[in-house]
Amino acid sequence: VGTIGSASQPVYLESEDINNADTVMTQDLVVNGTATCVAQDLQGCRVFLGSPQNLGSGNQRETIQFDSVLYDSDNNFDTSSHNWTCPKTGIYSVNIQAFFTGGGDNENRNLIIGDKNDVFPPDKGAFFNRKESDSGSCFNVSTINKYDQSDTITGYVANRNNSDILGEGSASIG
């Protein structure tokens, strides 16, 4: 049985609780008696488009120009380059969501997790492709990878058939 303590008390979870937990927000996390995560290890950000982003037509992949920050644990996200820089080596969970609001029929759209140097970095990142026949389609791509200190994480998007528009906003869709 899981026990949630105060900010000064660790959270203890048995292994069966991990499979049933939705979200745990805590200072310390202890699983089966072993400290697995402490507050200073938690890194991350939540960023979004403050206004729609126009996408060119054709095969060109473009950096998602996230320009607004809801949360950034240590100011590791750069709204100019649209990259998040890993503050230290570790396992990171990355999720990118894009809402296409333009385009036309039977669009071949891509959503990609890459880095500042490579859309498809070796052994890292993720790729999602789907054909859609409407404007107003939501894409999600996620990955869990080991990143080294100073690695960057960048989102890319493309509509391989047509020009398109990414919608703005901070809400999760889908």
Side-chain angles (χ1 to χ4, degrees):
V1 175
T3 306
I4 306 282
S6 68
S8 62
Q9 295 294 318
V11 171
Y12 293 90
L13 296 175
E14 300 298 323
S15 57
E16 64 270 7
D17 296 325
I18 295 295
N19 295 327
N20 298 319
D22 290 329
T23 304
V24 176
M25 295 296 292
T26 182
Q27 293 297 103
D28 298 319
L29 178 62
V30 178
V31 178
N32 293 335
T34 303
T36 58
C37 179
V38 293
Q40 66 265 25
D41 292 333
L42 301 176
Q43 299 291 328
C45 69
R46 182 170 180 178
V47 297
F48 64 97
L49 292 174
S51 60
Q53 179 181 342
N54 292 314
L55 305 175
S57 62
N59 211 10
Q60 182 66 32
R61 289 182 183 94
E62 299 181 35
T63 301
I64 301 175
Q65 298 173 0
F66 294 118
D67 59 358
S68 300
V69 178
L70 280 176
Y71 169 79
D72 187 357
S73 58
D74 283 331
N75 297 314
N76 295 312
F77 187 81
D78 184 337
T79 56
S80 298
S81 67
H82 315 291
N83 298 314
W84 190 78
T85 302
C86 298
K88 61 185 192 176
T89 299
I91 304 297
Y92 290 88
S93 173
V94 182
N95 181 59
I96 296 178
Q97 183 177 72
F99 187 64
F100 292 89
T101 63
D105 291 336
N106 204 26
E107 301 294 344
N108 188 1
R109 294 170 168 149
N110 304 149
L111 182 59
I112 304 157
I113 297 171
D115 66 26
K116 70 178 181 182
N117 299 314
D118 193 350
V119 174
F120 298 108
D123 302 322
K124 296 177 185 165
F127 174 83
F128 182 73
N129 178 74
R130 182 172 66 209
K131 287 192 173 190
E132 290 286 327
S133 295
D134 61 5
S135 64
S137 62
C138 184
F139 278 40
N140 289 291
V141 64
S142 297
T143 188
I144 298 174
N145 284 307
K146 179 182 181 279
Y147 288 93
D148 294 324
Q149 183 175 6
S150 299
D151 280 353
T152 58
I153 299 172
T154 307
Y156 295 92
V157 66
N159 181 334
R160 300 180 67 177
N161 303 106
N162 204 343
S163 60
D164 214 329
I165 301 169
L166 289 183
E168 81 278 9
S170 62
S172 294
I173 302 168

